[in-house]
Amino acid sequence: MPGGRHDVTASAPQTAPRKRAGNGAAPQDIADDIGLDALVGHAGYAVRRFQIWIFQDFIKTLGEVDIRPTQYSVLTLIGANPGLSQMAVAKRLGIERARLVHLLDSLELRRYVKRVKSKADRRSHALHLTAQGETALAKFKRLAAEHERHVEEKIGKENRAQLLRILAGFT
Amino acid sequence: MPGGRHDVTASAPQTAPRKRAGNGAAPQDIADDIGLDALVGHAGYAVRRFQIWIFQDFIKTLGEVDIRPTQYSVLTLIGANPGLSQMAVAKRLGIERARLVHLLDSLELRRYVKRVKSKADRRSHALHLTAQGETALAKFKRLAAEHERHVEEKIGKENRAQLLRILAGFT
DNA sequence: TATTGTTATACTCTATAACTATA
DNA sequence: TATAGTTATAGAGTATAACAATA
């Protein structure tokens, strides 16, 4: 990528913000003084930019184990609620059930998850982590916690807590 | 859509939050008591879910004019900075320049934008709104402001302001 | 009839690479 | 040689529709 804003290479800039004051999150590394007009007042714009940054840091931090945010959320949910059906997981995480099929295919191939035929309802599968999946998830959680520290370094501990409080209703 | 969490049909629930206390953003309409475990502590998860909600409300609110968030951001940026090159717009908004080509193709087809050959650098195009584009953008901004009010109703005026402050560095 | 998992298709978005015309 | 715009391709992700097995 040609040195764009999506660059996550420097994960903790915290060292003295330049130009526009702010909280340590410095977007304008290079001098482009282009006004955003109405965009600065739109929550969606800021949220989207932040979400891109945060996902890229997550992907990078968990790069060594090749786990992406959605895969992590699926594994965590199954780990905390063994026996869930695919529909239940899809609904809880807001993933299309058609897409979950492929996500689980790949997680099953990697031996993290197994589909067990449900006896109660023979249409559905009960989802479980394998022993290997449990071990792996523990490591993923440690890396995810590291990613979370990057977020703190980026926006500040207090602001991160505020954010979680404000958005708690959407989880 | 089978009544999922992505449902944006009821845009302003504000009327008495049920179950988990919170700020009016109610995710658990139906009784599924599935624990999220580590996910509740991850800013990225909450931010992603919120971003999906906010974009869907934007798309719905600007549905009558068929303008999506990215198109709106491009039009707004050009409107505020006439003569920008495609590279400048792409960099400022964090869009791949390859993708911007198609975005501009469609906006040019709809007569909102025109590409003018730059005399200074004959490789680049100076981007401008057409008269029609100016008029249309004014309407888009009114609708976007309406969308922004939906956000306020959803998370609260104070929280929205906090959010903008916390994420100001990412715009 | 309705639901679960599945397959398939289309469209959006991201990430690259390569080409052209300029610089 | 480097850059601006373009074209093309591959991979996620989203949104649908339809089908088989089962309820």
Side-chain angles (χ1 to χ4, degrees), chain A residues 119-133:
Chain A
K119 287 178 182 174
D121 183 339
R122 286 161 58 211
R123 291 172 303 183
S124 74
H125 296 155
L127 300 172
H128 296 271
L129 297 187
T130 61
Q132 188 182 331

Side-chain angles (χ1 to χ4, degrees), chain A residues 68 70 96-99 103 120-123:
Chain A
R68 299 171 62 84
T70 310
E96 286 296 323
R97 72 191 202 275
R99 200 188 147 219
L103 283 168
D121 183 339
R122 286 161 58 211
R123 291 172 303 183

Side-chain angles (χ1 to χ4, degrees), chain B residues 82-144:
Chain B
L84 283 183
S85 70
Q86 296 186 193
M87 273 305 295
V89 170
K91 266 189 186 162
R92 188 66 188 83
L93 295 179
I95 302 171
E96 287 296 324
R97 72 192 203 275
R99 199 186 149 223
L100 185 61
V101 172
H102 301 299
L103 284 167
L104 288 173
D105 285 349
S106 99
L107 292 174
E108 207 170 22
L109 253 177
R110 291 168 72 178
R111 306 287 170 193
Y112 292 152
V113 166
K114 51 178 185 280
R115 288 163 160 119
V116 180
K117 298 214 181 235
S118 166
K119 289 178 181 175
D121 184 340
R122 286 162 59 212
R123 290 171 303 182
S124 74
H125 296 155
L127 300 172
H128 296 271
L129 296 186
T130 62
Q132 189 181 332
E134 302 268 15
T135 311
L137 180 55
K139 176 166 194 184
F140 303 162
K141 283 183 178 175
R142 283 194 298 275
L143 290 168

